[in-house]
């Protein structure tokens, strides 16, 4: 799911729920992805894998 940063401000609680359900939320500025929202569980898996 891609969302413009200006729109994300108003939809942040919804976008967090989407991420908690396992989806990736890409925050875009001028059509280019600048940041990503993922669940805490997914973040932990990614960082754990990087440490190994």
């Amino acid at each position: 799911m891609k969302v413009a940063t200006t729109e994300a401000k108003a939809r942040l609680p919804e976008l967090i729920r989407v991420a908690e359900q396992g989806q990736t939320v890409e925050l875009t500025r001028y059509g280019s992805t600048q940041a990503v929202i993922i669940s805490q569980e997914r973040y932990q898996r990614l960082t754990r894998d990087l440490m190994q």
Side-chain angles (χ1 to χ4, degrees):
M1 164 185 254
K2 290 189 178 189
V3 179
T5 54
T6 54
E7 183 183 346
K9 291 178 186 179
R11 296 178 56 192
L12 187 58
E14 172 194 350
L15 298 176
I16 291 171
R17 280 192 295 277
V18 167
E20 288 173 333
Q21 293 172 358
Q23 291 187 48
T24 300
V25 179
E26 296 180 44
L27 303 179
T28 64
R29 185 180 306 136
Y30 305 113
S32 177
T33 300
Q34 302 298 309
V36 177
I37 302 174
I38 60 174
S39 69
Q40 175 66 14
E41 178 183 327
R42 189 167 178 192
Y43 174 76
Q44 287 177 341
R45 277 196 321 259
L46 289 170
T47 55
R48 182 180 55 238
D49 291 346
L50 287 173
M51 297 295 182
Q52 294 179 358

